[in-house]
Every structure is written in C-alpha cells, then in structure tokens.
Amino acid sequence: MTTIEAIFHEQRRPLLRRLHRMVGDPETAADLCQETFVRAWRKAPREATADQHRRWLHRTASNLAIDELRRRRLRDHAPLDHERWGRDDASVADRLHAREALERLAPHERLVLLLRFEAGLSHRELGALLDISEEAARKRVERARAAFSAAMRDERGDGAPVVLFLRGEFAEAPFRAWIEAAGGHFEPVDHRQAELQLATADALVLGASYRDIDPSLYGEQPRFGLGPTDRDADLADLRVLKTALAQDVPIVGICRGHQLINIAYGGSLWQDLPADGAGSPDHTGGGHRIRTGEHSLSRRVMGREAEVASEHHQAVRRLGRGVRPSSISPDGVVEMVEVPSRRFVLGLQWHAEREDMAHAGAAVAEALVAAARAA
C-alpha cells in the first residue's frame, strides 16, 4: 500500500465525520470522501510528509463540501436566516430581516459565518481552510458575528438588541417583562441551536432555578442539604455560557445563573448554607440590603447600596479564577460577582426580575441592554 493510500485509509472515518457534518447526509458525505481519495491519488504531492498529506486530504474534503453546498444554492438560504425562527408573523419578519442582514455583510464576513455556523467547521478547521491560525479564525468569526448582529438591529428598525434567555425552572414571563421593559428583544435559548442563536445575539441572561447545581462540576461529593440536581442539564447550560464568554457577549446571571458563572471559572459553592454553617435565613425569600464594592461594575450600575430580595440555599464559596466579588451581604454571602476580563459579566445572587426589585432590577436590565447595544 502506498503512503497516500495508507493515510487515506487511516483518515477515512474522520473525513466522513467532517463531510457528514458539513453537507448533512451520509450518502453525499461518502461520495465526497471517495472523490477526495480520487483527487489525492491524482494530485497529492508524492514528496510530502505524512502530516502534509493529512492536511491536504482534509482541506480537499472541505473544499469539495463547500462546492456541494454552493451547488445546492444553500448559501442564500443559510440557517442563519431561517432555521432558528418559527412560522408566525413575527418569526417570518425576523427571518426576512436576517436574510437582508446577511446580504449587507462583506463577502468575507458572510463566508466565515456560513462556514462556522452552516457548515459547522470548528475554529481550528476554519483556520486550516483559510490558511490562518485558529486564534485568527476565532477573531474573524467574532468580527463577522458582531457585524451581522448590528445589521440585524438595523434591519428590525427598533434598535432593540437580542437578549437570549437561558431558562431554569422559574417562569419565563417575569424575565421577558424585565428585559423588554429595558428595551431588549427577548429570545429563549434552544439548546439544539444555541451556538447558532449566539451568532446573532447581543446579550445573555442565565435564569434562576429550583434545581441545585451538581457538585461534581466543582469537584465535590453531595452533602447533606443538597436538593435535586441534573448534571446533563448543568453541562448543557455551561456549554452555552462558555460559548457566550468566549464571544465576549454581555451576560447577567441570576441566582443559579450567578453560581454557574463562578463554576465556569473553576469556583465552588456552599451546597446548603444552613448545613454548611454559612449565611442567615434572610436568603430564603426575605429582603436585605447589599453594598457594592468601590470601583466595581456593580457600583456603576446600581450605586453604593440597594435593597434586594433573595431566594436560595446555595451560594458562591470559593471564587473562580478571574471572578471578583463586587457585593457581599452583611452575613458574608457573595451577592454579586463580575469578571473584569470580560466586557460586561454580572452575577446576581438576588432576583433582579422581580417586580419588587423595581429600582435595582431595572438598573441591571438597562445596563445589560446598553452594553448589548454597544456590541
């Protein structure tokens, strides 16, 4: 067996997986994989090293898949402009706005968005295809995503930034009212298309939940006082959060969302405040005052002090790397955190969406929407 034949045999499964992900069906993927081998047999440089042959095979396969997508005329009808929306009048309008927004982008911006979100290439694969580094590919995608998001706002004509909402078990309606009152365009997250949604989102809100976070995510075993958990759901939510953090999307986490931000950076939680000997009963539904830290984002948003209402039995214990506490209650519970390395990330242990949080809650929502508009 010649070198190129041996390498193709070794790489056949990875090539099939890549092609299937890009074109969407196994039959076409198999055909393109065979065409890749034919081209390799005819055109691959015989003097190349094994690693160069592997890269040549994957680049050729990607080019064939892109040609296939072009032949199907999918580029004018990408998922960015139709799959994420439904069929009601508002959804149809958003779909048309997205199509127009895509047309307004520069060709290179459309290309990287469609390769990333339609063809499903990773940043590493996109970098290899464009002959740039993975980090350069990541930056190109982010610039194109920001341009598309701005074009979407212009097309809608209301200037309202899209605020994605990652729901826990709390009702959605109060969060919707809270965001819309501040001028945001509210959109629930669908985990199946979360990365696609984040491609056109301007901000993310992580909602509250009656469910506790699985302690295995911060390296602990369950202890007395821990409530119901769902590790798979926690992991799915963390994937959305980490994608948003990587894209530097403005983020607000409420209650469980606040705790997820800390865990995403390697922090831990008090599994149960009473059982762990931390905090006081004020956090189980009552109101209490908090004071924000000097020179913090929290103080810029809310001022020096605020009255808040909490409903939780878990709280931040060990802070994650790069996470800074910006408000602590009188009994020592971390009430707010922020991430200075990101443009706008606030974690709130209290419930900003509640109607009785009119002043403090509105200030947070308005600051989030303002940060989203500035994206």
Side-chain angles (χ1 to χ4, degrees), residues 158-338:
D158 57 6
V162 174
V163 179
L164 293 184
F165 175 62
L166 189 62
R167 181 182 175 184
E169 275 72 49
F170 275 45
E172 179 182 294
F175 292 93
R176 178 184 291 274
W178 177 60
I179 290 299
E180 291 180 347
H185 183 85
F186 183 92
E187 183 178 316
V189 169
D190 179 347
H191 281 90
R192 295 168 299 179
Q193 300 192 50
E195 189 171 7
L196 179 58
Q197 287 181 293
L198 283 164
T200 55
D202 302 297
L204 174 67
V205 171
L206 308 167
S209 175
Y210 296 111
R211 176 168 41 84
D212 288 346
I213 296 174
D214 193 300
S216 66
L217 298 183
Y218 47 92
E220 294 185 6
Q221 295 295 320
R223 296 196 300 273
F224 179 77
L226 183 70
T229 62
D230 185 335
R231 189 172 189 275
D232 289 342
D234 293 338
L235 288 171
D237 290 350
L238 277 171
R239 281 193 293 271
V240 175
L241 171 58
K242 288 180 177 180
T243 300
L245 287 167
Q247 295 178 182
D248 205 8
V249 171
I251 297 169
V252 167
I254 294 177
C255 197
R256 174 177 175 270
H258 156 83
Q259 297 164 9
L260 277 174
I261 290 171
N262 189 54
I263 289 170
Y265 283 93
S268 68
L269 303 180
W270 297 110
Q271 292 190 29
D272 182 73
L273 289 171
D276 288 334
S280 69
D282 285 347
H283 301 279
T284 58
H288 57 89
R289 294 197 69 78
I290 60 171
R291 182 167 181 162
T292 58
E294 292 185 6
H295 311 299
S296 67
L297 174 61
S298 301
R299 180 160 293 189
R300 294 200 301 273
V301 170
M302 298 171 51
R304 185 181 297 271
E305 292 186 348
E307 182 75 19
V308 301
S310 299
E311 189 175 352
H312 63 100
H313 77 108
Q314 294 193 309
V316 168
R317 185 175 188 176
R318 184 186 69 251
L319 286 164
R321 181 175 298 176
V323 177
R324 185 173 73 183
S326 55
S327 178
I328 298 178
S329 64
D331 59 352
V333 171
V334 176
E335 291 285 349
M336 297 180 72
V337 297
E338 53 196 66

Side-chain angles (χ1 to χ4, degrees), residues 89-158:
D89 290 344
S91 298
V92 170
D94 271 343
R95 187 162 65 247
L96 293 174
H97 292 327
R99 186 170 300 174
E100 292 300 320
L102 277 174
E103 290 298 320
R104 290 174 55 176
L105 299 183
H108 69 276
E109 292 172 330
R110 283 199 302 273
L111 175 65
V112 296
L113 283 179
L114 293 170
L115 287 174
R116 179 76 177 102
F117 297 108
E118 176 188 350
L121 296 189
S122 67
H123 291 109
R124 179 180 59 79
E125 291 169 334
L126 183 57
L129 184 63
L130 300 178
D131 198 23
I132 58 178
S133 69
E134 180 177 348
E135 182 59 25
R138 188 185 307 278
K139 290 179 179 178
R140 286 196 189 184
V141 171
E142 176 54 26
R143 288 195 294 269
R145 190 202 68 79
F148 182 49
S149 181
M152 273 290 289
R153 292 199 299 272
D154 288 345
E155 287 296 329
R156 283 199 303 267
D158 57 6

Side-chain angles (χ1 to χ4, degrees), residues 174 177 351-359:
H351 287 266
E353 83 285 359
R354 283 175 45 163
E355 290 184 357
D356 56 348
M357 290 293 97
H359 175 70

